Amino acid sequence: SIYGNGGEGKSRLALELVDWASLQGWRAGFLDTRERDREFSDFSPDRPTLIVVDYVFLQDAEYWRDACHYLVENQQALEQPVRLLLLDRTSGGSWWQDFFDELTTGGREALARSRFGQPMLLGPLKDVPIMELFEDAYGRTVTNPNELLLALQRLVPNRNDAQANPPALFVLFAADAMKHGLMPRQWSRDMILN
């Protein structure tokens, strides 16, 4: 499970993982939960499978808890490896602890052996990756990085933290704005998002 603020890059990171897994021969993709019509107990993959679920806690969290239980408890019975990646803006609070508490001893041991047994926070970018991301999207080297960083910080949704870095999505939108002739001093949050 990966969680973090909106625009930090959770879905983009998951998409990169899906692309990579697909190239490795895995069946991989985002599950359209509106079309979820069968239980995981009927699931029998014919090749390694990666399932990504975005905004899991806005949906049927109990269903996903049950799916996780099934996959953890039955991983030895499945003929192919299955990975379930849950994405959200929250860690799920007590959801994760409830899930862990309801596992059997074998399930808890299997999860404890996993490198990814606990939800991971995807935090904001640091200054250097922000510039690399911006310049990659902009297609040119930035001549005044300090001015650009200050302009990007003005776009941060949470204005309570003046030192906070902008989400990756805002950095990409700002690069697109600059490609279209809008200089950093002209940027506003509304202009970048529109």
Side-chain angles (χ1 to χ4, degrees):
S1 179
I2 298 176
Y3 68 100
N5 291 328
E8 297 287 0
K10 298 175 298 297
S11 299
R12 178 70 182 146
L13 182 63
L15 181 59
E16 293 286 334
L17 180 61
V18 165
D19 289 345
W20 177 87
S22 296
L23 290 173
Q24 305 305 310
W26 286 54
R27 174 173 287 135
F30 285 76
L31 184 67
D32 185 347
T33 56
R34 294 170 296 178
E35 297 178 16
R36 175 178 47 88
D37 60 356
R38 63 187 225 188
E39 297 300 317
F40 266 83
S41 58
D42 299 332
F43 183 57
S44 180
D46 59 355
R47 62 182 173 169
T49 303
L50 168 66
I51 302 166
V52 179
V53 182
D54 215 345
Y55 297 106
V56 69
F57 298 112
L58 291 179
Q59 302 173 37
D60 186 356
E62 295 301 310
Y63 174 84
W64 294 112
R65 188 189 66 201
D66 292 346
C68 289
H69 273 228
Y70 176 79
L71 292 173
V72 169
E73 300 285 352
N74 294 287
Q75 64 180 329
Q76 300 299 326
L78 294 171
E79 293 182 20
Q80 298 290 331
V82 176
R83 301 296 179 263
L84 181 63
L85 177 58
L86 307 177
L87 306 176
D88 212 304
R89 291 185 178 193
T90 172
S91 67
S94 66
W95 182 93
W96 185 255
Q97 189 60 49
D98 293 345
F99 160 73
F100 189 79
D101 291 345
E102 292 173 9
L103 288 172
T104 64
T105 301
R108 277 193 213 105
E109 289 171 358
L111 196 59
R113 286 190 304 270
S114 168
R115 293 181 295 153
F116 309 108
Q118 293 292 320
M120 297 185 327
L121 172 64
L122 182 63
L125 297 171
K126 302 295 181 219
D127 290 350
V128 172
I130 285 175
M131 292 308 300
E132 290 173 11
L133 178 63
F134 186 91
E135 288 176 343
D136 187 51
Y138 181 48
R140 291 189 237 165
T141 301
V142 174
T143 56
N144 190 343
N146 290 335
E147 178 187 354
L148 179 66
L149 286 172
L150 289 172
L152 287 169
Q153 286 174 337
R154 285 197 318 265
L155 303 176
V156 177
N158 182 0
R159 298 294 301 182
N160 295 333
D161 184 0
Q163 299 302 313
N165 286 321
L169 193 59
F170 279 68
V171 174
L172 294 174
F173 286 162
D176 184 65
M178 204 154 152
K179 271 185 178 178
H180 289 90
L182 295 168
M183 295 296 105
R185 64 185 172 281
Q186 299 171 298
W187 295 347
S188 71
R189 184 173 177 205
D190 290 337
M191 185 275 302
I192 290 294
L193 293 175
N194 289 323

